[in-house]
């Protein structure tokens, strides 16, 4: 078994300890390598503050840790949004507003899929270069890397020309129902955005594209009857459900990246009763906006084929696909330049999963998957690599230190969904305003 880390407390003052050889990649890497133990200690503290997404008030402890660290880094931190009785979300920005400088958005989430008490079965453990525990990979390791990237900039006296602002939500694993409007508002004000979700694959690919996703519920209304005495007077919702399921699965197009999956079905009351109700829950994944429109139209256009039944369709494409346009490609070029300074080989890829990056990327060039390198999101074997936490945090710090993206005229790229560079000032102090 691995040796468990005993350091659960962060000496915030130690984050301000600088390095001797000035700014640049070497200084930032030196700073972070020297704070590896503190990174692990913060990760342990965050993991031990269990924060299941289905218990909103459970976010309080992990948010308290984040708030304390952000304030120690010179940020003004406030709670925004959230329903009554919930923890809401954290928004952090420099206390002094300089409207002439562009901003860059750092995004993470503090909720996990793991219920309270999971630590008893999945303890926080460090074994050589691997750290395990609920949420280490998705995505408390990413929060650690984000905070230490900001600390490295401060510890090396590196002042980014694009001002970093931070948003950490507490409902991402539920689809960000209460934080989506805040994310949209901030993304519209941002020059660029970085999402600290886990990297793609064990080789640590950056997620420059994501499939879009939708959820639909198809409800079938029929007419009940006695299955033995008078079956002809009934209209079977289950029979119609069988036709609907086949029609939905016929929409699959694996070669084009379209998947339509009927994940659950329900219906009927007893074997001897013609079912008067049925239901199917459907997950949809698409790669392009055109596919999203086509599949959604096809699902909403389903018609009942069983006499006496009717369909009622709810839902839609909730997460549009993340597709890189010219500005996002220029941001990827900056990431490659930053990786080269650290002698890192960096690849990009498309993820079949969704995140807040899907939403943010509709409004500003976005890189996702800047978080931990490891495996096991939502799985019992969840882990991440400790040495990669240092490397990825250094990469993020260098990205934050990059100058503003050059205009398209200065950096020609293939055509795509261009993002307009129209925002240059700090957003309002309250993104919900």
């Amino acid at each position: 078994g691995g040796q468990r880390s005993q350091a659960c407390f962060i000496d915030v003052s130690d984050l301000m300890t600088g390095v001797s050889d000035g700014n640049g990649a070497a200084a930032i890497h030196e700073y972070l390598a020297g704070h590896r133990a503190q990174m692990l200690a913060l990760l342990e503290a965050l993991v031990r503050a269990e924060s299941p997404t289905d218990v909103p008030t459970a976010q309080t402890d992990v948010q308290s840790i984040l708030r304390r660290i952000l304030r120690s880094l010179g940020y003004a931190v406030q709670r925004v949004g959230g329903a009554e009785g919930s923890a809401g979300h954290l928004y952090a920005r420099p206390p002094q507003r300089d409207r002439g400088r562009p901003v860059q958005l750092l995004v993470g989430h503090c909720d996990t899929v793991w219920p309270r008490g999971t630590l008893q079965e999945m303890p926080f453990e460090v074994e050589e270069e691997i750290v395990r525990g609920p949420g280490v990979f998705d995505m408390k390791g990413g929060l650690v890397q984000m905070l230490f990237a900001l600390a490295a900039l401060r510890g090396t006296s590196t002042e980014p020309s694009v001002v970093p602002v931070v948003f950490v939500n507490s409902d991402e694993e539920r689809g960000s129902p209460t934080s989506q409007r805040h994310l949209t508002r901030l993304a519209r004000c941002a020059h660029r955005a970085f999402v600290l979700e886990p990297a793609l694959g064990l080789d640590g690919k950056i997620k420059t594209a994501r499939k879009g996703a939708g959820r639909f519920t198809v409800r079938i209304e029929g007419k009940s009857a006695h299955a033995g005495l008078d079956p002809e007077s009934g209209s079977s919702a289950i029979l119609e459900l069988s036709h609907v399921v086949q029609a939905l699965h016929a929409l699959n197009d694996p070669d084009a990246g379209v998947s339509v999956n009927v994940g659950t079905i329900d219906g009927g009351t007893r074997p001897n009763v013609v079912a008067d109700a049925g239901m199917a829950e459907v997950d949809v994944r698409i790669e392009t906006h055109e596919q999203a429109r086509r599949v959604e139209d096809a699902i909403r256009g389903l018609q009942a084929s069983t006499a006496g039944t009717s369909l009622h369709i709810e839902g839609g494409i909730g997460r549009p696909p993340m597709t890189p346009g010219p500005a996002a490609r220029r941001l990827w070029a900056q990431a490659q330049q930053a990786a080269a300074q650290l002698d890192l080989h960096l690849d990009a890829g498309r993820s079949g999963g969704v995140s807040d990056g899907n939403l943010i990327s509709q409004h500003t060039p976005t890189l996702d998957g800047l978080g931990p390198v490891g495996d096991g999101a939502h799985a019992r074997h969840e882990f991440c690599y400790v040495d990669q936490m240092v490397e990825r945090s250094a990469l993020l710090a260098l990205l934050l230190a990059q100058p503003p993206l050059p205009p398209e005229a200065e950096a020609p790229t293939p055509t795509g969904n261009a993002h307009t560079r129209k925002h240059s000032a700090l957003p309002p102090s309250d993104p919900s305003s």
Side-chain angles (χ1 to χ4, degrees), residues 51-54 59 109-114 134-135 138-140 173:
S51 50
T53 191
D54 57 354
Q59 312 299 321
H109 66 86
C110 58
D111 58 321
T112 75
V113 300
W114 301 106
D138 186 17
M139 60 163 286
K140 291 179 176 178
E173 296 292 1

Side-chain angles (χ1 to χ4, degrees), residues 84-142:
E84 184 176 351
S86 74
H89 320 290
L90 295 184
Y91 171 56
R93 61 188 300 281
Q96 301 299 320
R97 298 179 59 180
D98 183 349
R99 293 186 177 275
R101 293 171 63 190
V103 299
Q104 52 193 336
L105 177 61
L106 290 163
V107 174
H109 66 86
C110 58
D111 58 321
T112 75
V113 300
W114 301 106
R116 276 177 166 168
T118 301
L119 276 167
Q120 297 177 10
E121 305 168 10
M122 293 172 57
F124 181 89
E125 293 182 335
V126 181
E127 184 175 4
E128 296 182 352
E129 288 300 323
I130 291 178
V131 57
R132 306 180 188 275
V136 295
F137 183 57
D138 186 17
M139 60 163 286
K140 291 179 176 178

Side-chain angles (χ1 to χ4, degrees), residues 210-213 256 258 285-297 317 319-325 350 358-359 361-363 416-417 419:
R210 283 183 180 270
K211 283 189 175 185
V258 175
R285 304 290 164 130
I286 68 278
E287 290 189 358
T288 70
H289 292 275
E290 190 280 327
Q291 290 173 349
R293 288 189 292 270
R294 177 171 55 81
V295 173
E296 183 162 357
D297 288 347
I317 303 295
R319 299 276 187 167
M322 176 181 174
T323 55
R350 180 194 300 273
N358 290 73
L359 174 67
S361 65
Q362 308 305 307
H363 307 286
N417 297 326
H419 297 278

Side-chain angles (χ1 to χ4, degrees), residues 222-226 233-235 273-276:
K223 181 182 178 183
S224 62
H226 194 291
S233 67
S235 300
V273 177
V274 175
D276 64 354

Side-chain angles (χ1 to χ4, degrees), residues 53-242:
T53 191
D54 57 354
V55 185
T57 54
Q59 312 299 321
T60 303
D61 289 344
V62 68
Q63 286 183 349
S64 295
I65 298 170
L66 297 174
R67 186 181 293 109
R68 177 171 169 264
I69 300 296
L70 284 165
R71 285 175 175 165
S72 76
L73 294 172
Y75 279 80
V77 187
Q78 62 189 105
R79 175 188 180 276
V80 297
E84 184 176 351
S86 74
H89 320 290
L90 295 184
Y91 171 56
R93 61 188 300 281
Q96 301 299 320
R97 298 179 59 180
D98 183 349
R99 293 186 177 275
R101 293 171 63 190
V103 299
Q104 52 193 336
L105 177 61
L106 290 163
V107 174
H109 66 86
C110 58
D111 58 321
T112 75
V113 300
W114 301 106
R116 276 177 166 168
T118 301
L119 276 167
Q120 297 177 10
E121 305 168 10
M122 293 172 57
F124 181 89
E125 293 182 335
V126 181
E127 184 175 4
E128 296 182 352
E129 288 300 323
I130 291 178
V131 57
R132 306 180 188 275
V136 295
F137 183 57
D138 186 17
M139 60 163 286
K140 291 179 176 178
L143 296 175
V144 171
Q145 291 171 201
M146 176 185 72
L147 292 170
F148 272 86
L150 295 172
L153 292 176
R154 181 159 175 166
T156 57
S157 300
T158 304
E159 181 68 25
S161 58
V162 185
V163 180
V165 298
V166 175
F167 189 84
V168 179
N169 60 355
S170 62
D171 62 354
E172 192 275 342
E173 296 292 1
R174 295 189 291 127
S176 308
T178 68
S179 60
Q180 187 170 116
R181 65 187 180 96
H182 306 297
L183 286 164
T184 299
R185 181 172 175 80
L186 289 168
R188 286 173 176 165
C189 295
H191 179 77
R192 60 193 177 206
F194 304 106
V195 182
L196 275 299
E197 287 284 347
L200 181 63
L202 294 178
D203 54 351
K205 289 185 177 68
I206 299 295
K207 298 170 184 176
T208 55
R210 283 183 180 270
K211 283 189 175 185
R215 292 288 175 89
F216 295 84
T217 301
V218 181
R219 302 185 189 278
I220 300 99
E221 183 177 344
K223 181 182 178 183
S224 62
H226 194 291
L229 297 177
D230 191 20
E232 291 81 9
S233 67
S235 300
S236 174
I238 287 182
L239 174 59
E240 179 57 29
L241 178 59
S242 69

